C-alpha cells in the first residue's frame, strides 16, 4: 500500500484510506477498529484521516457505500440477446450467486450485520443501496419481460424477491455460518437451473 503522501490525487487518497479501513473493519470488526490503527496502517496521521472522514462512523458509512457500489457495477445489468429473456436471467443469476456467496461478500455482510443491530440507520442504508436496489433492478427486467409476453406477473418486485430467494436460499445461511465453502461453477449452474425451472413454472406464460 502506498503512503498517502505519494498519492497526489485527493480521490485516490480517499480510496487509499478506504482500502486500509476496509481491511481493518474485516479483520477486527467495527468496535475494535480505531482511527489511530487505520492511520498507522495507511502511513499518515490521524489528522490526515480527519481531513477526509470526520469520525469512524463516517468512514464505516463510506465502506458500506463502496461495497454496494462495487456490487451494483457487477450485477446491475441485463443483456437480452439471441438467447432471449431466459438466458439473460440465467447469466444474471450465475453472476449474482458467485458474488453473494463469495468469501469476500460474506465477510462484509457479517461486519455490517453486526453493526446494524445497534446502528439501524447503517443497516437501512445498506439494504436500500444493496439488496433492495438489486431486487428493484431484477423487477424492472421482469416487468419488461412480462410486457414482451415471457411471464405473467402482477407484482414484479415480489417476483424479483422470489427469484433471488430461489437462487440463494440453499447457500445463504450455510455460507453465513461457514458451514459450506464457496460453491464452484458446477454447483452454481445447478442452483441457477433449479431456480429458473421453479420460477418459470410459477410465472412463465403458458402456451
Amino acid at each position: 500500500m502506498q503512503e498517502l503522501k505519494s498519492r497526489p490525487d485527493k480521490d485516490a487518497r480517499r480510496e487509499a484510506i478506504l482500502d486500509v479501513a476496509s481491511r481493518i473493519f474485516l479483520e477486527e470488526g467495527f468496535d475494535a477498529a480505531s482511527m489511530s490503527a487505520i492511520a498507522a496502517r495507511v502511513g499518515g496521521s490521524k489528522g490526515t484521516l480527519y481531513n477526509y472522514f470526520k469520525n469512524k462512523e463516517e468512514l464505516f458509512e463510506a465502506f458500506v457505500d463502496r461495497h454496494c457500489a462495487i456490487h451494483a457495477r457487477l450485477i446491475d445489468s441485463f443483456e437480452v440477446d439471441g438467447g432471449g429473456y431466459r438466458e439473460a436471467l440465467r447469466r444474471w443469476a450465475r453472476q449474482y450467486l458467485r458474488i453473494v456467496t463469495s468469501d469476500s461478500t460474506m465477510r462484509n455482510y457479517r461486519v455490517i450485520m453486526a453493526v446494524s443491530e445497534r446502528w439501524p440507520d447503517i443497516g437501512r442504508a445498506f439494504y436500500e443501496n444493496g439488496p433492495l436496489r438489486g431486487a428493484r433492478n431484477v423487477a424492472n427486467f421482469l416487468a419488461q419481460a412480462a410486457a414482451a409476453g415471457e411471464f405473467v406477473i402482477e407484482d414484479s418486485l415480489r417476483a424479483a424477491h422470489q427469484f433471488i430467494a430461489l437462487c440463494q436460499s440453499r447457500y445463504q445461511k450455510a455460507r453465513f455460518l461457514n458451514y459450506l465453502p464457496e460453491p464452484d461453477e458446477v454447483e452454481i449452474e445447478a442452483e441457477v437451473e433449479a431456480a429458473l425451472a421453479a420460477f418459470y413454472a410459477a410465472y412463465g406464460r403458458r402456451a
Side-chain angles (χ1 to χ4, degrees), residues 8 33 61 140 153 176 189:
E61 287 174 346
N140 289 335
I153 294 175
F176 274 138
E189 178 73 17

Side-chain angles (χ1 to χ4, degrees), residues 20-171:
V20 171
S22 296
R23 286 196 289 273
I24 290 179
F25 286 142
L26 294 175
E27 291 167 6
E28 301 180 10
F30 175 78
D31 289 337
S34 69
M35 295 295 269
S36 296
I38 294 168
R41 185 87 65 93
V42 170
S45 66
K46 280 203 297 184
T48 302
L49 261 64
Y50 289 122
N51 287 333
Y52 295 90
F53 305 97
K54 63 183 181 182
N55 52 42
K56 187 172 70 169
E57 287 74 18
E58 188 174 280
L59 183 51
F60 192 77
E61 287 174 346
F63 159 74
V64 172
D65 287 345
R66 186 164 73 162
H67 175 76
C68 293
I70 290 170
H71 280 202
R73 288 197 298 271
L74 292 172
I75 58 178
D76 261 12
S77 64
F78 283 91
E79 296 181 8
V80 181
D81 51 24
Y85 290 102
R86 188 173 188 131
E87 181 58 30
L89 201 54
R90 176 181 288 114
R91 283 196 300 267
W92 180 89
R94 287 171 181 159
Q95 178 72 342
Y96 174 80
L97 200 52
R98 287 185 197 107
I99 291 169
V100 300
T101 60
S102 70
D103 288 336
S104 173
T105 296
M106 289 295 108
R107 288 194 296 269
N108 279 276
Y109 274 15
R110 291 183 193 111
V111 170
I112 295 168
M113 288 173 68
V115 174
S116 297
E117 184 171 350
R118 62 185 181 282
W119 186 6
D121 285 349
I122 199 68
R124 188 176 299 109
F126 170 66
Y127 182 74
E128 290 176 351
N129 293 311
L132 184 57
R133 174 194 171 111
R136 286 173 172 161
N137 184 51
V138 175
N140 289 335
F141 171 80
L142 294 177
Q144 294 170 14
E150 185 78 0
F151 300 113
V152 178
I153 294 175
E154 293 183 3
D155 186 334
S156 59
L157 183 57
R158 179 178 307 225
H161 281 295
Q162 289 171 340
F163 180 68
I164 291 168
L166 286 168
C167 289
Q168 69 181 20
S169 63
R170 196 167 74 88
Y171 282 98

